[in-house]
Amino acid sequence: MGLKFKILWARPRWWALAQDGSASTGAPATSCQPRTTPPQPSPATPPGRVRPSTSEEAVSDRRMGLCSFLLSMLTIVSPRARYCHHSLRFEFDNLYGCRHSLPDGLMRAPDVVIAGKVAVVCGYGDVGKGCAAALKSAGAHVVVTEIDPICAVQALMEGIPVLTLEDIVSEADVFVTTTGNKDIIMVHHMKKMKNNAIVCNIGHFDNEIDMHGLETYPGIKRITIKPQTNRWVFPETQTGIIVLDEGRLMNLGCATGHPSFVISCSFTNQVIAQLELWNERLGSKLTKLTPEQAAYISGPAEGPYKSGHYRYESYDRMQQCLCDVA
């Protein structure tokens, strides 16, 4: 097939095992939909055959790299296509999906006019790029916070200033976290925000925004404006901020998520990945690189085999490459 997917060999989950403990067989399954009961093995399939599966994790690229390392330490049992690393996944879903669903959530939940607002986008990866483009096209004055100098230059080349959160926290009207990391907007940042500033997350789990610190702040008052839209009033200043969807993914809690076209691209390619695993990967014998061959292409013998320009590499990886050359 024309589309290629990175194959991750991983131990199957418990529902991929038959009741007798042997590897289950049958049609490919996605890890997004676990089964309630272990499937019965197919009698027509020889014992020991395993099911391929695809995974689509809503975690950052670096955390996926850590997961890949940990999974590589496990016993090789079943093949899995790591679909999140496919370019059609992160370029369409993250970039174009968030460009559509972020303003949708902002207009549904707090019901504010975006034009004229100062909007801070924390992170300028694929999600941040889509969010910044949407806010900018809606008439907002967009500011980006970023740790990666390459992403920072990309923002500057789009005419978007790059500042730290401390520089802009008391002036902005909207704050959006898109980083895939934790502790991006803390309670001491929220105390400094202007009255009725909107704080939301579209990048990761609910730990990008310090919800625990906000909820346990002494004397804090929570006012529910509507479902998934709460105003938190600080006792010292009697000013408050509006937090969307309890700090979780606001495009899911306050809107309807990504548009159907983007999701159809994602899930269609996941099906193609499963078909490739089922039709081509099972029963095949892969050639192994010799140490000399691996050294020649400057990569590990066990993979990955894609070149660095296939997708974005982080700055520290580029730095390491420069150090290796030096």
Side-chain angles (χ1 to χ4, degrees):
M1 294 186 180
L3 296 174
K4 295 300 180 183
F5 296 83
K6 186 172 293 185
I7 304 301
L8 176 66
W9 290 84
R11 184 183 299 275
R13 299 176 187 267
W14 67 268
W15 57 81
L17 299 177
Q19 289 182 346
D20 60 359
S22 61
S24 171
T25 59
T30 171
S31 63
C32 297
Q33 298 175 347
R35 305 187 181 192
T36 56
T37 58
Q40 293 293 330
S42 172
T45 306
R49 297 261 328 251
V50 294
R51 294 185 311 163
S53 61
T54 58
S55 61
E56 183 172 358
E57 296 85 356
V59 299
S60 67
D61 219 32
R62 180 168 295 279
R63 288 176 65 85
M64 270 304 300
L66 176 59
C67 293
S68 303
F69 171 77
L70 294 176
L71 287 171
S72 67
M73 304 298 291
L74 301 177
T75 305
I76 296 177
V77 176
S78 69
R80 175 171 298 173
R82 201 168 61 200
Y83 174 62
C84 273
H85 279 223
H86 194 276
S87 57
L88 286 179
R89 164 62 170 82
F90 56 78
E91 290 181 3
F92 277 79
D93 197 308
N94 292 349
L95 178 58
Y96 300 110
C98 293
R99 192 171 72 178
H100 173 96
S101 57
L102 172 70
D104 187 18
L106 286 175
M107 289 182 284
R108 287 174 186 262
D111 194 17
V112 297
V113 175
I114 299 176
K117 298 285 193 299
V118 177
V120 177
V121 177
C122 300
Y124 200 67
D126 291 313
V127 175
K129 288 180 174 68
C131 294
L135 292 167
K136 188 176 180 181
S137 63
H141 304 282
V142 180
V143 176
V144 162
T145 69
E146 184 53 70
I147 62 169
D148 192 318
I150 296 176
C151 291
V153 171
Q154 288 178 321
L156 292 172
M157 296 295 283
E158 292 292 337
I160 302 174
V162 180
L163 301 173
T164 65
L165 188 57
E166 287 73 17
D167 293 330
I168 196 68
V169 67
S170 62
E171 303 174 20
D173 304 287
V174 180
F175 297 84
V176 184
T177 58
T178 72
T179 68
N181 208 330
K182 67 172 186 175
D183 299 342
I184 305 303
I185 297 180
M186 305 301 291
V187 68
H188 66 269
H189 293 128
M190 292 182 264
K191 284 180 58 179
K192 299 177 183 178
M193 294 177 182
K194 63 167 59 175
N195 190 40
N196 290 334
I198 299 170
V199 181
C200 60
N201 166 48
I202 196 174
H204 194 37
F205 304 126
D206 57 357
N207 57 358
E208 291 211 28
I209 300 171
D210 183 18
M211 292 304 300
H212 176 72
L214 184 63
E215 293 167 354
T216 58
Y217 189 85
I220 193 76
K221 183 180 180 181
R222 170 176 171 169
I223 303 172
T224 300
I225 301 173
K226 63 171 72 170
Q228 315 303 332
T229 307
N230 297 293
R231 185 170 184 262
W232 299 82
V233 181
F234 290 96
E236 298 89 350
T237 60
Q238 293 301 311
T239 60
I241 60 170
I242 299 173
V243 180
L244 304 185
D245 196 27
E246 308 286 346
R248 296 184 291 267
L249 295 172
M250 57 83 69
N251 58 330
L252 301 181
C254 300
T256 58
H258 294 343
S260 59
F261 173 76
V262 173
I263 294 300
S264 67
C265 287
S266 292
F267 291 154
T268 299
N269 281 281
Q270 188 168 172
V271 171
I272 293 175
Q274 292 192 8
L275 290 174
E276 181 179 359
L277 282 167
W278 185 249
N279 294 327
E280 300 181 10
R281 300 295 179 180
L282 287 183
S284 62
K285 293 182 179 180
L286 299 180
T287 302
K288 294 183 179 180
L289 290 180
T290 66
E292 292 77 14
Q293 289 174 320
Y296 184 76
I297 63 172
S298 301
E302 65 276 7
Y305 307 109
K306 290 290 184 182
S307 57
H309 65 267
Y310 176 71
R311 63 186 181 87
Y312 175 76
E313 286 190 338
S314 60
Y315 178 68
D316 58 344
R317 173 59 181 155
M318 293 185 176
Q319 289 282 70
Q320 184 62 46
C321 291
L322 293 176
C323 292
D324 292 342
V325 173

